[in-house]
Amino acid sequence: MNRITRMICAALIALTPTTLPAGSSSATDPVLPAAEVAAFSDQVQKDLAARGARVAIVARMGRDPDTLPAGITYTHLGFWVFSNITKADGSTGQGYRVYNLYQRSGDRTKSDLVQDSPADFFAGAKRLDGGIIIPDPRLQAKLLSVIQSPAYAALHNPRYSVLANPANGQFQNCTEHTLNIVMAALYDTSDPARIKANIAAHFTPQPVAVDGLQRALAPVLSNALSTSDHGAAVATATFGSLARFMQAHRLTQQVYRITPNGPARF
């Protein structure tokens, strides 16, 4: 085996799903008991409702955080919107609907906007641990207006990459779409060019260490790992980078994490 072949083999071993962020997938093979997931999702709903959250950004652990790159804990997030709910038996009530960007099960390079329930959202978790951003009340109202408008779908780019660069529109992941909606609400615009300009000017993405050979091989392993939208360095939008941006600009009411043991500091 020559030196180049050894390097390629080593890179293929190194560039496994455990070394990169997991994608934003709906739960097709849940690993946690359904009863525990249902109880936890109800706990999160009650916690948000007790805090008066009409709109919150909630993240889940889709992979063991010990296997993820430094600085990344959560692998999927969505908007939780307090809504009127029609249950399976036809009865009505109130609760949260989750607005997600999910990869397509048959083509991981594409995504769709999907609404589901809190239990569906956490069914894809590897641990019952949620990251929570509650925007300030004024921003919640503006976010709700954007989510209910055509801009929500118009700002979706179905070309999916786990490591999408949020400063341009070549690819998109769930956090980038969420960031687009936040910027649309903040600047009262649905113009993608203006939104991307504001992201480039004001938002600091999370750096991800991916060396040159791994970057070259990533599309071979999965086109959903493309880094062709990046320059010399790779950085993407994450729950942590979104929380830091919103806190720095005083756009949050609360930022915390929640487990079955209750709320905790993020």
Side-chain angles (χ1 to χ4, degrees), residues 54-56 79-83 95-99 144 147-148:
R54 295 170 61 199
V55 179
F79 287 108
W80 286 37
V81 178
F82 194 69
S83 310
Y96 288 89
R97 290 294 294 170
V98 186
Y99 289 69
L144 184 60
I147 291 168
Q148 294 177 338

Side-chain angles (χ1 to χ4, degrees), residues 32-173:
L32 299 174
E36 292 182 18
V37 170
F40 182 65
S41 64
D42 285 346
Q43 176 189 346
V44 176
Q45 288 198 83
K46 291 175 182 177
D47 184 88
L48 291 175
R51 297 171 192 262
R54 295 170 61 199
V55 179
I57 298 168
V58 180
R60 74 179 185 212
M61 286 186 179
R63 189 177 294 281
D64 185 337
D66 294 337
T67 69
L68 293 172
I72 298 177
T73 302
Y74 300 102
T75 58
H76 175 69
L77 56 75
F79 287 108
W80 286 37
V81 178
F82 194 69
S83 310
N84 293 320
I85 304 294
T86 300
K87 302 176 183 178
D89 62 3
S91 62
T92 59
Q94 290 186 309
Y96 288 89
R97 290 294 294 170
V98 186
Y99 289 69
N100 301 278
L101 181 154
Y102 281 142
Q103 288 173 279
R104 294 180 188 172
S105 58
D107 183 357
R108 298 296 188 181
T109 68
K110 301 293 183 182
S111 69
D112 296 296
L113 298 179
V114 177
Q115 290 185 43
D116 60 15
S117 70
D120 292 329
F121 177 88
F122 278 114
K126 295 296 186 292
R127 292 186 188 179
L128 295 179
D129 185 323
I132 312 289
I133 301 171
I134 301 179
D136 67 47
R138 182 183 68 89
L139 181 54
Q140 286 187 53
K142 297 186 75 170
L143 285 169
L144 184 60
S145 178
V146 176
I147 291 168
Q148 294 177 338
S149 78
Y152 178 77
L155 292 171
H156 171 229
N157 174 7
R159 296 184 65 199
Y160 186 89
S161 174
V162 173
L163 298 174
N165 181 349
N168 65 51
Q170 185 173 344
F171 300 106
Q172 191 176 88
N173 58 29

